[in-house]
Structure formats: structure tokens, C-alpha cells
């Protein structure tokens, strides 16, 4: 038998008569195919198959079609830029026509507002991408002149200091009249002094970062809590997030059945984490998220004077948790200064992950305030971090390296969605098992304390009882309503010593209790009474366990609880950082407790600013 050989190109297709070619040899396109060696093993024998002639099944027009298709592809590639421009122009025109008809058909409703804001947001991003270089070229002579002149820089800095102080003092003097609001201002001062007292190098504190961290928070809270426009904007964003996450219920119902709400935490709340994780990957795939992180990190660096890498990491923590965010700056971790490493860990403790945002809102936390707290905690974390662990060394990481954030690569949109869901599985498992074990531990501690208390005639001794009085001073200076001091102190203890998610869950139950109570009073005007710490609705015979909170306490509590800084989180963070940079284990263990305290104090500062500007007429 003649020797066979492998080929990777298919020769010219001919008619049944070998001497008559379909095309001349010199003009016929060659059809090339790449075969997987493991899947295809194509052989051509020099000896014709006597039993079967496969060429009789070829279409005579096949080669002509292949040639035409190849020519078309080459033409498209050659004129790619022009075709993209034409298609973009057609799509833009069609979208403009659609927006016009949509506004004419139903102008003034929420949908038209959503359409206009979305269009404006996309146009803003496009303008920024296209015009950034041009704007930088126009402003670079002025910026270089200012940066090269220390006297001009110093003058501008002091003018901004004086202007910010005067603005805050005048606004608070004219618009803040309630004693509770000024108590929150005293609490803010107390936490700053506490951070200074425990500072590692009090003589090296960068007060510029501390001042503008507080100033940035103040301006942000002013927009949300004291302007009807800002409050409506964030309420609208919160409602849209809730609306988006509610689509998860359809998936839960399909997988777990119509009775999935009977096990709401496992089958309704946990899928929110899957939805958020996949959404984050989609935003990464389209480049939206890294654009937000880089720009927000740049803003923090400019306002607070912190290094680019710690500013970018703090911006990442608005989206990711303390276990995921260090992975985005993994190449820089070995080169961080001790103060930068402390700031990176503190930012994780002071924020909530975007992946669990839906879970917290399902507990009952107001989405608009939770969204605002997530962003406000970023400058607070940097301010408190630079107060407790000041910078003593120059940074070794360049700005352009820090802003070029390494992101995961996905081949297509479906892969991004799928990988996001798979990445959320460990988070779901961690949340579930931690809820089970910490609730069990708290109940065990309660039973033990009740037993010991009963032995000496002290009734009602429990973990919650001890926490309610242990955290009483902190709750008091933050400006919570006086009727809620013991309840909030109890929640602070559970959140700190047990689990942040469990503390938020109990906090959310009290919020839902208030909604149920107000609905009962408004719809029935019925009577109710206290039974120990619970409220009993007489007409419906319904019990609201734990009672209710005032709206002021709900708002301040949302900001105070916005952080994963329970003691167990120290173990998670320690494991992540020691795995990523084992050579710096000594530095990590030295600063991780300080970072946890920094994260907690940052949340308390944010809550104090919210309490200082709270006005029920706006909220």
C-alpha cells in the first residue's frame, strides 16, 4: 500500500474530469483549514478508493462560494474603520429616533427619567474617553506652573482649608438646631481624638488627609441628607438596585420551587450574592468598573493626598470585600510601605462588598443610605488609617502603574456571567456557615450566662444585655435616639464580636418592624402595647420582636454598620494577606489589629456625620 501522509490544506477542487479545472491554478483561492491533531486525522492515499468515489458528492459551486466569501472578508477587514463608523452612525441615529419617540409618547414618568439619565451617563463616559487627552493638553501648562511653585500651591491649599472650615461652621450654625445633631458632632470629635491617642506616630500624622477625608464625607452627606435633589437621586438609585435584584426571585423560584420563601435566607437572600457577583464581572468585561475604580481612586488621591495605590485599593473596596480586593493589586503588595499596607487592610474592614449589597437590602437596610455609606466609608477609611498609622516612608509605586488596574480576561459576555456566579459560590458558603455557627455560639453564651446569673439570683443576664451596656457610651456620642441606646448597643456587640451579617440581619428586622407598625396604625388605627421588649398589635394579635427603632436611629445605624469589621474578619484578612505576601507576615500581624480598629472608627465617623446632618423633613 502506498505511503500515506498528513495534510493541513485541501487541494484544488476539480470536476470529475481531472484535466478540466474549475478555476485556473494561479487564480483559484486556496482553502486552508486548521485541524486539531487529536480530533482529525486526514489522509490522502495515492491509490484511488476502488469502492467509492467521494468527489461525486461535492457541489460544483462550492469553490466559487469559498472564493466569494474570502474576498468579502478581505474587503470588510480592509475597510473596517469606515464600516464601523457607518454602523455606529446608523445605530446612534436609530437610538436618537427611539429616544425622541419614547419621550413624546410618555414624557414625565420614571421611565423617561431613567432613559435620559442612562443616555447622559453613556455620553459622559464617551466624552471623557475621547476628550481626556485634549483637556490634559490644554490644562497642563497651568497645572505645571502651579505644581512647580510651592508658594502658589501653599496659598491655594490654605484658602481651601479656610473656605471649607467657614462653610461647615456657617452651615451648621444656621441649619443645625437640634441637640442630637450637635451630639453627633461631639462624637465625631471624640473619635478623631481617640484615633490620635492610639496613633503609632502622632508626630507624623498627615492632617491634610484627615481634614479632607472628613470634608469629603461632609459634602457627600450634605448632598444626600440635606438636599431634596440628592436624596431623591440616591433613593431613585436604591430603588433601581432593588428592582434589579428582585429579578433573582424568578431564578430562585425555578430552582427551589414556589415555596422557596419559606427558607428565605438560603433560597432568596443568597441568590442575591450570585446576581451581584455576575453583574460585577459584566461591568468588568465592558470596562465600566475599572474606569470607575481608577477615577474614584484618582479623586481620593488628589483630595486626600494619599498614595495612588492605597487610593485605588480603597475605591476597589466599594465593590469588593476584604478577601477579594487585595487580588486586584497583588503585584504591588510586596512593595507597599507599612502605612500603605495598613490602609489597604483598613479599607477592607471599613466597607461592605458590592457582592453582598443585595443581601443587606433584603434584610431591610435602606438601599439609598447603604449605597451612600459604601462610598462615604472610602475617604473615612483613608483618613482614619493615616491618623492611626501615619506614613513614614516614601511610596515606591508610580501613579500610572496603580491606575492601570489588572482585570480578569473573559472571552465573551457569557463567560463573564458564568465565572461571576462560580466566584460567588465560596462567598455564599462562607455566609451560610458563619450564620449557622455564630447564631449557635451566641445562643450557647446566652444560656451559659443565664445559668450563671440564675445561680446568684440575677435574672436576664445575657450576651445582648452585656453588649447593650458595654457599647452604651459609643452609641450615646454617635447621636442615636435616646430610646434606642440599649437596642443599638446590643446590635453593636453582636456585630463586633459575632458576625456583621447577623448584626445587620437583626438590625433589618427592627426596620421592618417599624414599617409593619406604621402600616398597622395607618390602616386600622388600632391599639398596641409593650410586652417586655416586644410590641404587640392588639387587633391583629401580631408580635413585633425587639420592638422598633426611630427613623433617626435607622439612618445612623445604616452608616455605622456599613463595614465588615467583626473579629472573625481579622482571621479572614490575615489568611488572605499571609498567602499573597508570606514574606511580610510580621508586618501584617503587627498592623492587622490596628487596621480593624481603624475600620470600625471610620464607620463610626461616617455615622456621626450622618447624625450631624440628619433632618427627618428631608429623609
Amino acid at each position: 500500500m502506498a505511503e500515506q501522509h498528513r495534510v493541513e490544506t485541501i487541494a484544488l477542487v476539480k470536476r470529475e474530469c481531472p484535466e478540466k479545472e474549475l478555476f485556473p491554478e494561479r487564480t483559484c483561492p486556496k482553502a486552508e483549514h486548521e485541524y486539531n491533531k487529536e480530533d482529525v486525522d486526514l489522509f490522502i492515499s495515492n491509490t484511488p478508493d476502488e469502492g467509492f468515489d467521494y468527489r461525486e458528492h461535492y457541489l460544483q459551486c462550492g469553490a466559487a462560494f469559498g472564493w466569494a466569501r474570502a474576498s468579502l472578508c478581505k474587503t470588510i477587514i480592509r475597510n473596517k474603520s469606515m464600516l464601523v463608523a457607518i454602523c455606529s452612525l446608523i445605530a446612534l441615529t436609530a437610538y436618537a429616533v427611539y429616544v425622541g419617540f419614547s419621550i413624546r409618547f410618555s414624557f414625565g414618568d420614571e421611565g423617561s427619567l431613567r432613559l435620559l439619565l442612562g443616555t447622559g451617563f453613556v455620553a459622559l463616559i464617551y466624552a471623557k474617553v475621547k476628550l481626556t487627552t485634549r483637556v490634559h493638553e490644554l490644562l497642563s501648562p497651568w497645572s505645571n506652573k502651579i505644581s512647580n511653585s510651592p508658594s502658589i500651591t501653599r496659598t491655594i491649599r490654605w484658602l481651601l482649608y479656610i473656605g471649607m472650615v467657614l462653610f461647615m461652621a456657617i452651615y451648621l450654625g444656621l441649619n443645625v438646631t437640634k441637640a442630637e445633631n450637635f451630639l453627633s458632632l461631639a462624637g465625631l470629635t471624640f473619635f478623631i481624638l481617640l484615633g490620635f491617642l492610639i496613633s503609632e506616630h502622632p508626630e507624623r500624622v498627615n492632617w491634610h488627609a484627615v481634614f479632607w477625608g472628613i470634608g469629603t464625607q461632609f459634602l457627600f452627606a450634605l448632598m444626600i441628607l440635606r438636599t431634596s435633589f440628592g436624596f431623591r437621586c440616591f433613593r431613585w438609585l436604591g430603588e433601581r438596585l432593588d428592582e434589579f435584584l428582585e429579578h433573582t426571585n424568578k431564578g430562585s423560584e425555578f430552582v427551589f420551587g414556589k415555596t422557596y420563601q419559606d427558607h428565605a435566607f438560603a433560597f432568596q437572600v443568597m441568590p442575591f450574592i450570585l446576581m451581584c457577583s455576575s453583574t460585577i464581572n459584566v461591568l468588568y468585561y465592558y470596562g465600566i468598573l475599572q474606569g470607575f475604580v481608577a477615577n474614584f481612586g484618582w479623586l481620593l488621591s488628589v483630595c486626600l493626598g494619599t498614595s495612588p495605590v492605597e487610593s485605588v485599593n480603597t475605591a476597589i473596596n466599594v465593590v469588593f470585600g476584604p478577601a477579594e480586593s487585595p487580588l486586584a493589586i497583588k503585584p504591588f503588595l510586596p512593595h507597599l510601605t507599612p502605612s500603605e499596607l495598613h490602609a489597604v487592610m483598613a479599607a477592607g474592614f471599613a466597607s461592605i462588598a458590592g457582592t453582598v449589597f443585595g443581601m443587606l437590602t433584603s434584610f431591610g437596610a435602606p438601599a439609598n443610605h447603604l449605597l451612600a455609606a459604601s462610598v462615604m466609608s472610602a475617604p473615612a477609611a483613608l483618613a482614619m488609617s493615616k491618623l492611626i498609622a501615619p506614613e513614614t516612608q516614601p511610596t515606591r509605586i508610580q501613579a500610572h502603574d496603580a491606575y492601570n488596574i489588572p482585570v480578569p480576561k473573559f472571552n465573551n459576555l457569557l463567560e463573564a456571567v458564568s465565572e461571576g456566579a462560580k466566584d460567588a459560590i465560596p462567598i455564599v458558603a462562607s455566609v451560610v456557615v458563619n450564620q449557622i455557627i455564630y447564631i449557635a455560639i451566641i445562643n450557647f453564651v446566652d444560656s451559659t450566662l443565664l445559668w450563671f446569673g440564675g445561680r446568684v439570683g440575677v435574672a436576664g443576664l445575657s450576651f445582648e444585655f452585656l453588649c447593650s451596656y458595654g457599647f452604651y457610651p459609643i452609641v450615646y456620642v454617635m447621636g442615636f435616639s435616646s430610646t434606642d441606646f440599649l437596642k443599638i448597643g446590643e446590635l453593636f456587640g453582636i456585630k463586633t464580636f459575632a458576625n456583621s451579617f447577623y448584626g445587620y440581619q437583626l438590625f433589618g428586622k427592627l426596620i421592618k418592624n417599624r414599617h409593619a407598625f406604621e402600616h398597622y396604625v395607618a390602616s386600622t388605627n388600632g391599639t398596641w402595647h409593650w410586652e417586655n421588649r416586644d410590641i404587640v398589635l392588639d387587633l391583629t394579635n401580631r408580635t413585633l420582636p425587639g420592638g422598633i427603632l426611630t427613623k433617626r436611629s435607622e439612618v445612623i445605624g445604616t452608616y455605622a454598620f456599613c463595614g465588615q469589621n467583626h473579629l472573625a474578619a481579622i482571621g479572614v484578612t490575615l489568611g488572605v494577606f499571609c498567602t499573597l505576601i508570606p514574606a511580610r507576615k510580621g508586618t501584617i500581624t503587627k498592623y492587622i489589629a490596628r487596621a480593624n480598629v481603624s475600620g470600625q472608627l471610620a464607620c463610626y465617623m461616617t455615622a456621626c456625620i450622618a447624625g450631624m446632618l440628619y433632618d427627618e423633613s428631608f429623609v
Side-chain angles (χ1 to χ4, degrees), residues 416-433:
V417 172
S418 177
E419 289 298 320
K422 289 193 294 184
D423 291 342
I425 293 176
I427 303 176
V428 170
S430 175
V431 170
V432 170
V433 298

Side-chain angles (χ1 to χ4, degrees), residues 204 206 301 305-313 329 331-344 382 386 390-403 584:
R204 303 291 295 272
N206 179 8
S301 181
T306 49
S307 69
V309 66
E310 59 191 355
S311 302
V312 166
N313 174 81
I329 59 168
F332 308 133
L333 291 178
H335 310 291
L336 297 180
T337 66
S339 178
E340 288 175 335
L341 187 59
H342 173 272
V344 168
L382 286 175
K386 293 306 170 186
E391 186 62 82
T392 58
Q393 302 176 17
T395 183
R396 287 171 282 181
I397 300 170
Q398 300 298 320
H400 60 83
D401 293 327
Y403 295 139
R584 304 197 64 182

Side-chain angles (χ1 to χ4, degrees), residues 6 23 70 115 159 184 256 346 365 444 455 479 514 544 554 608 610:
R6 186 186 303 268
F23 291 104
L115 188 64
L159 287 175
S184 296
F256 303 117
F444 168 74
R455 300 293 295 173
R514 182 182 62 81
L544 304 179
E554 289 178 7
C608 286

Side-chain angles (χ1 to χ4, degrees), residues 447-461:
S447 299
T448 305
L449 291 173
L450 285 171
W451 185 87
F452 277 106
R455 300 293 295 173
V456 293
V458 179
L461 184 64

Side-chain angles (χ1 to χ4, degrees), residues 476-609:
Y476 176 80
V477 299
M478 291 172 68
F480 283 91
S481 298
S482 58
T483 56
D484 300 326
F485 284 166
L486 295 180
K487 295 175 188 176
I488 296 295
E490 176 184 319
L491 295 176
F492 266 108
I494 293 173
K495 172 186 177 293
T496 303
F497 296 110
N499 183 274
S500 296
F501 300 138
Y502 183 44
Y504 235 120
Q505 186 178 18
L506 297 178
F507 176 66
K509 286 182 179 179
L510 297 179
I511 295 177
K512 291 180 178 179
N513 283 352
R514 182 182 62 81
H515 293 161
F517 177 77
E518 291 180 348
H519 176 73
Y520 168 81
V521 173
S523 60
T524 67
N525 197 26
T527 59
W528 56 276
H529 68 275
W530 286 95
E531 191 171 297
N532 295 325
R533 301 176 59 191
D534 305 333
I535 291 180
V536 178
L537 309 179
D538 296 329
L539 289 181
T540 59
N541 196 28
R542 178 182 177 183
T543 301
L544 304 179
I548 61 175
L549 297 173
T550 64
K551 289 184 179 180
R552 177 181 177 84
S553 294
E554 289 178 7
V555 171
I556 299 175
T558 302
Y559 291 87
F561 291 151
C562 186
Q564 300 182 59
N565 41 45
H566 51 281
L567 296 183
I570 294 179
V572 175
T573 304
L574 186 65
V576 170
F577 279 88
C578 287
T579 302
L580 295 176
I581 43 175
R584 304 197 64 182
K585 185 176 181 179
T587 306
I588 295 170
T589 54
K590 176 182 177 182
Y591 284 97
I592 193 165
R594 285 178 176 272
N596 184 268
V597 174
S598 298
Q600 296 203 38
L601 294 181
C603 293
Y604 297 165
M605 284 174 53
T606 307
C608 286
I609 292 178

Side-chain angles (χ1 to χ4, degrees), residues 162-176 182 218:
I162 296 171
M164 188 64 186
V165 170
L166 289 176
F167 173 74
M168 293 174 65
I170 294 173
Y171 184 86
L172 293 176
L174 295 177
N175 297 279
V176 177
F182 284 105
F218 179 84

